[in-house]
Amino acid sequence: MQKDCRRVQISAIIVCQSRNCSLKMLFLTALHISRKGSSRLNATICDLFLLGLIVLSLSTSAIASDDCKEWKGKGSTRNLKEIIMGRCFDYLETINPSTRGKSCSEIWESFLKAFSGKDPCNIRKEDYGPFLKLADHDIPVNQSIFWSRTKELLFKFTDVTKKFMPLESTLTGYLLNGLDWCGTACRPGLNYESCPEWNECENNAQRSFWRAASENYAAKARGEVSVMLNGSTNVNAFRKTSIFGEIELANLDLEKVTSVHLWIIDSINGPDKESCGVGSVAELESILQEKNVNYTCKDNYGPVQMLQCVNKLDNPSCKLPTTLSLQKDLS
């Protein structure tokens, strides 16, 4: 009887391969073959066996469908490999030639391996360890700078001054800044349809990456460290749940960091919600004091405010500072 059922399976598969049958057609073909020259009992047993295979196949498909669920965020950036490889060569050859000697292909493969073909909500920080090791390089002394809700302004400031290297200006951050990526457990490769948003699940591919990269970046800070916070935001300027508050501040090597400079920057048109010694900024100052860290705090740091005023010269807040006050801020 088992041989008969096996004969039915093989015969049905051969027939369907030549005709490109669907799953339903495979079952019907097997059913037809099983009834040719078989006893009623054997045919019935074969029918039940085949029905079980169909149910199992459908159950597996349903599970795969759950793995391929649709997320709220954008899917992986198209041509992700080409973009990252291009950025890598650009960084090594023109932006920071001191990092030459790294293999862009190895960096890409280690990055892809961290999340490709995996549940996008089950990616750990440790999964990016090999990638971070390959892309790693030193941060110059006194050039580490952190931010929270001041990203655009900070990038303008660091681009103009050329005196700081934020995470996004390291090889690690430069490669991935502004991109989206995730995999899916139901098939190999990347998911170009949708990826989890930042808060959609705790251990999603992008959130785990930036947390791991931020931890690694903070641990490399040496000398003077700068922090730019938003004094006009509708949430606290300093939040313990932010990347800076939770990850970077906790991973500063206080044996290598000599001082921390806090800059609390208001929007040109306000409001002035938080300042040095007030609200959550006071909480941050208290944490630094407890850690015995030397720090300074300045509201609307002059050079940054001047940059804000470049396109808003008529704004009352953009009156040129006195030579004395500007020299004080630049010192």
Side-chain angles (χ1 to χ4, degrees), residues 25-134:
M25 195 62 197
L26 173 62
F27 174 66
L28 293 176
T29 302
L31 188 63
H32 173 71
I33 294 173
S34 70
R35 294 189 179 279
K36 283 186 175 182
S38 299
S39 67
R40 183 181 298 276
L41 177 60
N42 284 355
T44 300
I45 292 174
C46 283
D47 293 349
L48 292 174
F49 179 73
L50 290 166
L51 182 60
L53 289 178
I54 298 296
V55 172
L56 179 60
S57 178
L58 291 174
S59 299
T60 303
S61 297
I63 292 172
S65 178
D66 287 342
D67 288 340
C68 291
K69 67 177 290 186
E70 183 175 347
W71 304 99
K72 296 179 181 179
K74 294 186 296 183
S76 299
T77 303
R78 298 286 175 178
N79 303 309
L80 184 66
K81 177 180 179 179
E82 290 76 11
I83 293 172
I84 290 178
M85 291 288 286
R87 288 183 177 185
C88 183
F89 289 121
D90 182 33
Y91 192 90
L92 301 184
E93 295 300 322
T94 65
I95 295 178
N96 190 356
S98 67
T99 59
R100 285 176 181 169
K102 297 181 181 296
S103 169
C104 290
S105 58
E106 289 182 7
I107 288 173
W108 161 253
E109 291 298 333
S110 64
F111 171 70
L112 184 65
K113 187 176 180 181
F115 67 91
S116 177
K118 300 179 182 179
D119 179 351
C121 281
N122 192 28
I123 308 300
R124 304 167 303 156
K125 291 189 298 182
E126 293 76 14
D127 292 329
Y128 290 105
F131 165 78
L132 292 175
K133 185 175 181 179
L134 288 173

Side-chain angles (χ1 to χ4, degrees), residues 120-263:
C121 281
N122 192 28
I123 308 300
R124 304 167 303 156
K125 291 189 298 182
E126 293 76 14
D127 292 329
Y128 290 105
F131 165 78
L132 292 175
K133 185 175 181 179
L134 288 173
D136 190 41
H137 60 81
D138 289 334
I139 311 299
V141 178
N142 302 333
Q143 290 195 21
S144 295
I145 186 167
F146 304 93
W147 57 271
S148 184
R149 294 183 178 262
T150 55
K151 183 178 181 179
E152 183 178 348
L153 180 59
L154 179 131
F155 288 173
K156 289 180 180 179
F157 177 72
T158 56
D159 283 346
V160 169
T161 61
K162 307 297 184 185
K163 292 183 177 180
F164 298 92
M165 182 181 284
L167 170 58
E168 293 77 6
S169 293
T170 65
L171 177 57
T172 299
Y174 182 76
L175 292 179
L176 280 305
N177 187 36
L179 302 180
D180 295 293
W181 68 90
C182 71
T184 175
C186 69
R187 61 176 179 271
L190 280 66
N191 185 349
Y192 291 103
E193 304 303 319
S194 64
C195 291
E197 290 184 340
W198 184 266
N199 290 320
E200 195 167 354
C201 53
E202 179 69 21
N203 294 318
N204 69 63
Q206 296 180 54
R207 180 171 178 148
S208 291
F209 169 79
W210 287 114
R211 289 167 67 88
S214 296
E215 184 176 306
N216 185 64
Y217 173 76
K220 290 183 167 298
R222 295 176 296 158
E224 298 181 6
V225 167
S226 302
V227 182
M228 187 184 294
L229 303 179
N230 192 330
S232 295
T233 182
N234 54 6
V235 297
N236 289 341
F238 170 70
R239 293 167 294 121
K240 289 184 177 180
T241 56
S242 68
I243 289 290
F244 171 68
E246 181 182 356
I247 303 293
E248 293 167 334
L249 181 60
N251 281 280
L252 290 176
D253 186 342
L254 301 183
E255 293 184 357
K256 297 179 180 178
V257 173
T258 58
S259 60
V260 175
H261 303 300
L262 306 178
W263 303 335

